[in-house]
Amino acid sequence: MRWGFVGLGQMGLPMARRLAQAVDLTAHDPARDAAEGLRLVHRAPDLAPCDVLVTCLPNGDVVDTVLFGPEGIAEALAPGTVVVDTSTTTHAAALRLAARLGDLGIGFLDAPVSGMQARAEDGMLTMMVGGDVARLDPLRAALGTIANRIEHMGPVGSGQLTKLVNQLLFNINIAGVAEIMPIAARLGLDPVQIAQVVNSGTGRSFASEFFLPNILKGVFDQGYPMQAAHKDLVAAEALIVEHGLSAPVLAAATASYRETLTQGLGHLDKGAMIQVFEQKAGTALRARDPD
Amino acid sequence: MRWGFVGLGQMGLPMARRLAQAVDLTAHDPARDAAEGLRLVHRAPDLAPCDVLVTCLPNGDVVDTVLFGPEGIAEALAPGTVVVDTSTTTHAAALRLAARLGDLGIGFLDAPVSGMQARAEDGMLTMMVGGDVARLDPLRAALGTIANRIEHMGPVGSGQLTKLVNQLLFNINIAGVAEIMPIAARLGLDPVQIAQVVNSGTGRSFASEFFLPNILKGVFDQGYPMQAAHKDLVAAEALIVEHGLSAPVLAAATASYRETLTQGLGHLDKGAMIQVFEQKAGTALRARDPD
């Protein structure tokens, strides 16, 4: 079985390297001529013929271009090929891609992953898959080299929905930390002590555990840039209105996120939301006692 | 050294029992004539004379009544006594109590605890203390029998502020779960699977870990009743306005909390917030597969 892989970024490169140890894999990235341990081709269509094509790209528009653009690979793929899109796109994009590929007789699984670069390097990602389980099952062993947890969530689009739900909760939790912790500092509590109490108490979250230590050090470049992650909030807004749903806490978190972007902090990670509320509270949450 | 203890409720009873094994302790609760393992008095003022008086009461008004009401104990306490209030009250209440007791020459520490009944029984509470550290230090060994972690946070009121900050984050995190998870169910995802993904992913929080398993079982009586915990949101509202602070996500979470109370669900724990959003989404987050 031949595998193709498109997109050798922060997540894609370690994923492709792990997969290449398990299967016969050829890779492509428009910005790379070489990558240690990988066999590359210069044009995406040269990945064909292959049995499985994995994509790991920044958003749904890029996936669309890679598959159906002027240099697109979709036309070169044989009927029966399966495209496994590990990009974080949207429910709507997954449905659209599946329909267009389906017209060519090509299968599609939306399979976004969660976990950061370190977990990608260790093959410890969680993969949330939407689509025909009969297409997924034969690939589980190989995909298991990049994701130690593979959850089939339902029909096409379910993988994107699952990842979105997780990301929305993550955004709410960090937005809460961003507005509440400067209040604590402004009211005279020591930032290091209050962070310790929160992270050992009922107020803790992955967001508080991941971001508070970095915030206390003034480090804001250890997560995904906010301007890239903003697509999750755009996708949520569309879904919520489409289905007539109510999400008031998310709406408030989204407003804080947006304000952080409009203040020019979008290149930083989500911990940077605290800078907006530090300004409002007239305080800063740096460690007073750096031990 | 003689200790008095007022308030033998869900938290106070196990706390008093553990303390009584370490110090010479007499206890009082207006609703109890006897409690196994404790020496009781029928009137609060009969706890005097004592060197330390611990209070563990539902809110600041009750603390006020116990100390300064018609049957109040404050007048019976000798100058030099220290009152350790483990109740969750407010920053303002702590300042007021400290001032009134100070006029009588009596010391005051606000020392709310976090952790639930099970942790009280094991002496594994976290105690957040505000007030003169020189009054706290001689009591640390004895208080260590109820709280394995005792954090001195600053001047009087700092203990209440610290607990409040933790509770506000807890409320935001559960309000997020309450509105996002019914959206997931409405969009067709399996509640059990999505709960597993969230609780192993970046969206997780103590709130999601504690409440989601109970929500999936339809169990809403495992935490503190919302109508009692609502005092935290009242206290936050006062502080935020007093200090001119901004807390938009908390405001949205507070609105969801309030709506849950006004729907008559205030006797349930915070997981019940999900019932409001299940209604809005026209779905229920029960486990489809109860295994």
Side-chain angles (χ1 to χ4, degrees):
Chain A
M1 201 151 76
R2 292 184 49 163
W3 289 55
F5 196 106
V6 187
L8 302 173
Q10 199 177 349
M11 296 294 285
L13 184 60
M15 288 164 62
R17 281 189 174 134
R18 291 191 66 91
L19 261 180
Q21 289 171 20
V23 301
D24 175 14
L25 182 135
T26 308
H28 167 75
D29 187 294
R32 281 179 181 273
D33 285 326
E36 199 188 320
L38 289 175
R39 181 173 64 241
L40 297 196
V41 294
H42 290 295
R43 293 174 58 255
D46 294 340
L47 293 172
C50 60
D51 303 288
V52 183
L53 178 72
V54 180
T55 45
C56 187
L57 296 162
N59 59 55
D61 287 345
V62 179
V63 179
D64 213 68
T65 302
V66 162
L67 290 173
F68 302 108
E71 287 274 289
I73 183 174
E75 291 284 348
L77 296 174
T81 304
V82 177
V83 173
V84 180
D85 183 20
T86 67
S87 320
T88 296
T89 70
T90 64
H91 182 247
L95 295 180
R96 218 162 43 225
L97 289 165
R100 285 190 75 175
L101 289 168
D103 290 343
L104 302 171
I106 298 168
F108 180 79
L109 298 169
D110 57 304
V113 292
S114 83
M116 303 194 186
Q117 192 179 347
R119 290 176 65 184
E121 280 160 5
D122 296 339
M124 302 292 279
L125 297 170
T126 294
M127 180 175 277
M128 296 148 272
V129 186
D132 187 349
V133 75
R135 293 198 198 272
L136 171 63
D137 284 340
L139 309 181
R140 278 187 189 266
L143 293 175
T145 63
I146 54 177
N148 67 330
R149 183 175 187 137
I150 299 175
E151 292 275 345
H152 182 259
M153 299 301 298
V156 166
S158 303
Q160 295 297 345
L161 280 181
T162 302
K163 175 149 195 205
L164 181 63
V165 164
N166 178 72
Q167 294 301 110
L168 296 180
L169 288 171
F170 184 34
N171 283 326
I172 287 171
N173 295 348
I174 180 59
V177 167
E179 75 180 36
I180 297 298
M181 297 301 286
I183 292 178
R186 165 69 178 279
L187 294 175
L189 298 174
D190 179 71
V192 173
Q193 273 189 299
I194 186 79
Q196 281 166 352
V197 169
V198 165
N199 278 341
S200 67
T202 53
R204 74 175 180 275
S205 59
F206 174 80
S208 70
E209 289 165 355
F210 182 79
F211 286 114
L212 277 174
N214 288 335
I215 287 170
L216 291 169
K217 286 181 261 176
V219 168
F220 296 100
D221 61 356
Q222 297 301 298
Y224 199 55
M226 291 185 70
Q227 59 209 9
H230 183 245
K231 63 186 173 185
D232 293 330
L233 297 171
V234 174
E237 179 67 18
L239 270 178
I240 285 166
V241 169
E242 179 186 341
H243 292 271
L245 295 164
S246 175
V249 176
L250 178 64
T254 300
S256 296
Y257 196 118
R258 188 189 302 136
E259 188 168 352
T260 312
L261 294 185
T262 58
Q263 290 201 9
L265 303 172
H267 58 294
L268 301 175
D269 66 37
K270 293 173 185 170
M273 294 173 81
I274 205 158
Q275 295 186 22
V276 171
F277 289 92
E278 286 176 336
Q279 275 174 35
K280 292 184 200 283
T283 186
L285 206 76
R286 302 293 169 272
R288 290 173 199 165
D289 178 3
D291 70 338
Chain B
M1 200 152 77
R2 292 183 48 163
W3 289 56
F5 195 107
V6 187
L8 302 173
Q10 199 178 351
M11 296 294 284
L13 185 60
M15 287 164 62
R17 281 189 173 134
R18 291 192 65 91
L19 260 180
Q21 289 171 20
V23 302
D24 175 16
L25 182 135
T26 308
H28 169 75
D29 186 293
R32 282 180 179 273
D33 285 327
E36 198 187 321
L38 289 175
R39 181 173 65 239
L40 297 196
V41 294
H42 290 294
R43 293 175 56 255
D46 294 341
L47 293 172
C50 59
D51 303 289
V52 183
L53 178 73
V54 180
T55 46
C56 185
L57 297 163
N59 58 55
D61 287 345
V62 180
V63 178
D64 213 67
T65 302
V66 161
L67 290 173
F68 301 108
E71 286 275 288
I73 184 175
E75 291 283 349
L77 296 174
T81 304
V82 178
V83 172
V84 180
D85 183 22
T86 67
S87 320
T88 295
T89 69
T90 63
H91 182 247
L95 294 181
R96 219 163 38 228
L97 289 165
R100 286 189 76 175
L101 289 167
D103 289 344
L104 301 170
I106 297 167
F108 180 79
L109 298 170
D110 56 304
V113 292
S114 82
M116 302 194 186
Q117 191 178 347
R119 289 176 66 185
E121 279 160 5
D122 296 338
M124 300 292 279
L125 298 171
T126 294
M127 180 174 280
M128 297 148 270
V129 186
D132 186 349
V133 75
R135 293 198 198 272
L136 170 63
D137 284 340
L139 310 181
R140 278 187 190 265
L143 294 175
T145 63
I146 53 179
N148 67 330
R149 183 174 188 138
I150 299 174
E151 291 275 347
H152 183 259
M153 299 302 298
V156 165
S158 303
Q160 295 297 345
L161 280 181
T162 302
K163 175 149 195 205
L164 181 62
V165 164
N166 179 72
Q167 294 303 109
L168 296 180
L169 288 171
F170 185 34
N171 283 325
I172 288 171
N173 295 347
I174 180 58
V177 167
E179 75 179 36
I180 298 298
M181 297 303 285
I183 293 178
R186 165 70 177 280
L187 295 175
L189 299 173
D190 179 71
V192 173
Q193 272 189 298
I194 186 79
Q196 281 167 350
V197 170
V198 165
N199 277 340
S200 67
T202 53
R204 74 176 180 275
S205 59
F206 174 81
S208 70
E209 289 165 355
F210 182 80
F211 287 114
L212 277 174
N214 288 335
I215 287 169
L216 291 169
K217 285 180 263 176
V219 168
F220 297 100
D221 61 355
Q222 297 301 297
Y224 198 56
M226 290 185 71
Q227 59 209 11
H230 183 245
K231 64 185 172 184
D232 293 330
L233 297 171
V234 174
E237 179 69 17
L239 269 178
I240 285 166
V241 169
E242 180 187 340
H243 292 272
L245 295 164
S246 176
V249 176
L250 178 64
T254 300
S256 297
Y257 196 116
R258 188 189 302 136
E259 188 168 351
T260 312
L261 293 185
T262 59
Q263 290 200 10
L265 303 172
H267 58 294
L268 301 175
D269 66 36
K270 293 173 185 172
M273 294 172 82
I274 206 158
Q275 296 186 21
V276 171
F277 288 92
E278 286 176 336
Q279 275 176 34
K280 292 185 201 281
T283 185
L285 206 77
R286 302 293 169 271
R288 290 172 199 168
D289 178 4
D291 71 333

